[in-house]
Amino acid sequence: MRPDHATKALDISVGTRVEADGGLTPLVLLVSAVAAIGGFVFGYDIGGGGGSFAMQGFQTQFGWANKSEAVRADEIGWISALLTLGAAAGAAPSGILSDRVGRRPCIITSALIFSIGASLQAFASGSPSASLAQLYVGRLVGGFGVGMLSTTVPVYIAECAPGSWRGSLSMCWQFAIVIGIVVASLANVPLAHWDQGWRVSYGGNVVFALLLALLMVWMPESPRWLGQRGREAALRRTLSRLRSSTLAAEEEATSIEAKAAEEAAGGASSWRGLLRRPLAMRHRMLLGVALQCWQPLAGINAIMFFAPKILLAYFSAEAALWGTLGINVANAAATVVALVGVDRLGRVPLLLASGLLMCVCHLAMVALALSPPSKQLGYAVVSVASLFVASFAFGWGPLPWTVCSEIFPTKYRSKATAVTTATNWLVNTAVGKVFPLLPLATAFAIFAAACFAACATVFFFQPETANLGMEQIDEAFESHRVRRVSAKLWSADRRARIRAEGRRRMRAAAGAAAVAYASEVRAAGGDGAAGVGKGEEKRESIV
């Protein structure tokens, strides 16, 4: 007779997805929140650094009164570009580092590197030229840490999260970014009245970076990284803490081990393998690179980082900071839509709606930029910019990071996300350097065209991955074909087939676990069941 425990394993595997993956636990929430502090650190940098340009103390420290508008625009461009250039440099090796030493040590290292860079920026001193040189070096070093964080944190959260919550929890990275932007923007208003306030705008996030490094010491390692490294005992211990039941932990461990064995049979991962046809890697890589290319070309960082400078054409310095704060609050509020809808509505519909709305907003900004400046026009600019960032926040802000953290097989995930993240930062560098030099109408026209092209990319080439386990995503890509214009955005039949295949694989894994368990019970007699009960009580006390 099959033990009750084994029967339950088979029943749960064909139930709802929340039951199958064990649902959400306090530790999973804690892991996601702690890792997402890296996003807060980056967001604070965006909101703080951009607001400093409207501060009198910053302008005095760097001698802007004696510089032409062209020189000031060039320096602003470098202040923005050096952070993203450093981030591109940091993203490249982080994939190798996180594969070799683990996701957790990589995040700790990233936070410490960022702390050094932000401290250099905050304590820039001396002559205007010496201060600027120190600020530039700090931006480059801090950017290196940001690049490592942006590559590793989304992957770490996605690999720790249960499948039914993976999309929402992956949003924590972007949500933390927008919260950081709001906090920095709010702080900039009173800091503007203090000559040294700009130093807090650049270095206030050091406290949070150090807090991230400290808290990560107590966080568990990614279970998928443990499975990939063949550390089966550590894998099961970690999953027993992250999942709400022993059954869910055992089934997921079995699935991870089977997938790791399958990938190992195909040989070690290589950079060349990222563009090969097996596992649809070429399709995945081109899609991931395209998503991370279109995201900065949508124009968000140009708006967020340079909003105070743009609004100075219509308002006073303090009013410009208040207007920037309003834009950032709209950004944070709309991100909640993505948190709620990413797993319910799906990735593809949200990206399409977001991209089309952004395109319309940019076209409106083109018309506003061609009109003579006035205070009334400034209010229109704030309104359109707020609608734009809200549109970005529920789609193209968080979802490229979510999609790139989930679409790659474990064997290639770190290398692939390193490439896609580096692409994002390189394009961000170009946007940050070139945008201040372009006429506003021209810049917004380019952004509008990029938003339209981004929507076309998603419509034709991106399969839906919402509510699919990471192993089922392989099937989604292997069966995907470029959509015709008349095709539906999301085929319910195809989604059902993918889920059915996933349930079949889960039943097979659960059956294997049940057989193993039954063997242990027969070998140990009645003591086996009692041992399991004691183990369950112990696990619950740990969680």
Side-chain angles (χ1 to χ4, degrees), residues 99 222-236 256-257 260-261 264 410:
D99 265 349
S222 157
R224 281 177 171 76
W225 182 83
L226 293 171
Q228 194 69 24
R229 305 295 289 187
R231 296 170 58 178
E232 297 179 1
L235 167 64
R236 280 172 164 75
I256 290 173
E257 289 169 356
T410 306

Side-chain angles (χ1 to χ4, degrees), residues 50 53 64 68-82 84 136 299 301-307 309-310 427-444 446-447:
F53 302 146
W64 276 15
S68 66
E69 179 64 29
V71 172
R72 291 197 296 268
D74 182 65
E75 290 181 358
I76 289 173
W78 279 115
I79 291 172
S80 171
L82 284 171
T84 52
Y136 282 171
N301 281 355
I303 297 293
M304 303 304 293
F305 200 77
F306 299 109
K309 181 178 181 296
I310 295 172
V427 178
N428 257 314
T429 301
V431 171
K433 187 67 182 74
V434 173
F435 178 79
L437 307 177
L438 291 176
L440 286 179
T442 301
F444 287 119
I446 293 173
F447 294 151

Side-chain angles (χ1 to χ4, degrees), residues 79-105:
I79 291 172
S80 171
L82 284 171
L83 179 83
T84 52
L85 186 63
S94 61
I96 299 174
L97 180 64
S98 65
D99 265 349
R100 290 185 177 179
V101 303
R103 317 309 194 209
R104 186 180 60 168

Side-chain angles (χ1 to χ4, degrees), residues 345-371:
L345 302 177
R347 282 59 158 160
V348 172
L350 285 177
L351 284 170
L352 290 176
S354 170
L356 292 175
L357 280 173
M358 288 193 299
C359 184
V360 172
C361 290
H362 282 315
L363 293 175
M365 290 293 282
V366 170
L368 293 172
L370 294 174
S371 304

